[in-house]
Amino acid sequence: AKRMSSGADAIDTVIVSSVADADRPRLDDFEELDFIPFDPAIRRTEARLLGPDGQELRVTKGATKTVLNMCADKNKITDQVLLANETLAKRGFRSLGVAVAKGGATASWQFCGVLSMFDPPRTDTKQTLEKARDMGISVKMITGDQTAIAVETSKAIGLSSRSEPEILDMKEFTAAEKLGVSAATNLCERVDGFAEVYPEHKYRIVELLQHSKRYSPDGHTVGMTGDGVND
């Protein structure tokens, strides 16, 4: 919360603005000792704090499954957490897992809960995609979001000309790559997009499409846009 004055990402802004006014003074009781910003490779962010009782603690938020797998109590709560995560995803809600470790660097992580957020597409996105298709442009989605969220978003924006968009997770892309460049390229051309990707996957998908000779000896002309640093 204290870094809001120096600039914060959209997620931090939403979370802090959701704190009740009566509870906000409590945030000033904690001193930030260290902060690790979001890293797409580990899919979470972490802060090390000093509490009003003099006790050190670490707090993390990030991809729910990633945070859950860090926690000492995961075996007791995995089914419950994953059910909540999947239920939210099928409704198009993004979710973040939150965990805390009290007592210094060697303390075990304990899962605290799941934060849900809704980030609706722009109102003109569907119309923009229709115009792109009319001009012969094939649009694909490549996202780090859960597959269920990607599918729901694809339906909402009319990403595919098909009634049911085909969005695969990166496990299927990785399996295709093991079969060879041709198999991976054909998969990239066939489907509407991929979910649960890392930044390096985005680069690889674009590279495969650029070098595809299926429709043109020069490969596809590929443009890419996004709202993340790695885009």
Side-chain angles (χ1 to χ4, degrees), residues 8 21 25-26 30 35 50 56 58 65 77 81 118 131 133-134 153 164 167 178 180 190 193-195 201-202 214 227:
D21 291 340
R26 295 170 54 195
F30 293 84
F35 180 76
L50 186 66
E56 188 175 307
R58 291 171 293 145
K65 293 178 183 178
I77 59 175
V81 171
F118 184 54
K131 289 182 177 179
R133 276 196 296 273
D134 289 343
T153 302
E164 189 73 20
I167 306 292
K178 290 180 180 178
R190 177 174 62 82
F194 295 96
H201 294 140
K202 296 181 180 182
R214 184 176 179 183
D227 60 359

Side-chain angles (χ1 to χ4, degrees), residues 58-79:
R58 291 171 293 145
V59 181
T60 187
K61 73 177 187 298
T64 302
K65 293 178 183 178
T66 298
V67 174
L68 177 63
N69 286 332
M70 296 166 50
C71 296
D73 55 345
K74 65 179 180 180
N75 292 335
K76 298 179 181 178
I77 59 175
T78 292
D79 291 345

Side-chain angles (χ1 to χ4, degrees), residues 13-61:
T13 301
V14 169
I15 292 173
V16 173
S17 64
S18 299
V19 177
D21 291 340
D23 290 328
R24 292 196 182 192
R26 295 170 54 195
L27 300 177
D28 294 327
D29 294 337
F30 293 84
E31 177 186 352
E32 182 182 296
L33 303 177
D34 191 22
F35 180 76
I36 302 173
F38 180 78
D39 183 343
I42 62 173
R43 299 193 173 190
R44 66 184 183 90
T45 185
E46 181 181 327
R48 186 164 62 92
L49 309 170
L50 186 66
D53 57 358
Q55 183 182 45
E56 188 175 307
L57 68 154
R58 291 171 293 145
V59 181
T60 187
K61 73 177 187 298

Side-chain angles (χ1 to χ4, degrees), residues 64 67-68 71-73 77 81 96-100 109-114:
T64 302
V67 174
L68 177 63
C71 296
D73 55 345
I77 59 175
V81 171
L96 291 175
V98 180
V100 63
W109 289 100
Q110 300 293 319
F111 197 82
C112 295
V114 176

Side-chain angles (χ1 to χ4, degrees), residues 63-227:
T64 302
K65 293 178 183 178
T66 298
V67 174
L68 177 63
N69 286 332
M70 296 166 50
C71 296
D73 55 345
K74 65 179 180 180
N75 292 335
K76 298 179 181 178
I77 59 175
T78 292
D79 291 345
Q80 182 182 1
V81 171
L82 293 185
L83 176 61
N85 196 47
E86 189 68 16
T87 300
L88 289 167
K90 288 180 178 178
R91 294 167 57 197
F93 284 81
R94 290 178 169 84
S95 62
L96 291 175
V98 180
V100 63
K102 298 180 179 180
T106 60
S108 300
W109 289 100
Q110 300 293 319
F111 197 82
C112 295
V114 176
L115 288 173
S116 63
M117 290 170 289
F118 184 54
D119 183 17
R122 287 169 51 115
T123 56
D124 60 350
T125 299
K126 189 172 184 178
Q127 182 181 12
T128 300
L129 291 176
E130 290 174 352
K131 289 182 177 179
R133 276 196 296 273
D134 289 343
M135 292 187 288
I137 300 172
S138 174
V139 182
K140 298 180 185 292
M141 175 186 290
I142 310 175
T143 177
D145 284 337
Q146 290 175 248
T147 304
I149 295 175
V151 170
E152 288 304 308
T153 302
S154 297
K155 291 178 181 178
I157 63 177
L159 176 70
S160 176
S161 57
R162 294 176 279 201
S163 57
E164 189 73 20
E166 187 173 7
I167 306 292
L168 304 181
D169 68 28
M170 287 312 297
K171 293 178 182 177
E172 296 186 61
F173 175 80
T174 302
E177 278 238 282
K178 290 180 180 178
L179 297 176
V181 172
S182 179
T185 302
N186 290 340
L187 185 67
C188 292
E189 292 178 324
R190 177 174 62 82
V191 304
D192 297 303
F194 295 96
E196 303 182 43
V197 306
Y198 288 96
E200 58 266 28
H201 294 140
K202 296 181 180 182
Y203 178 87
R204 180 58 176 157
I205 290 167
V206 169
E207 183 180 47
L208 287 170
L209 291 172
Q210 286 177 324
H211 291 90
S212 171
K213 306 299 183 184
R214 184 176 179 183
Y215 299 104
S216 167
D218 298 322
H220 295 285
T221 298
V222 183
M224 184 171 177
T225 185
D227 60 359

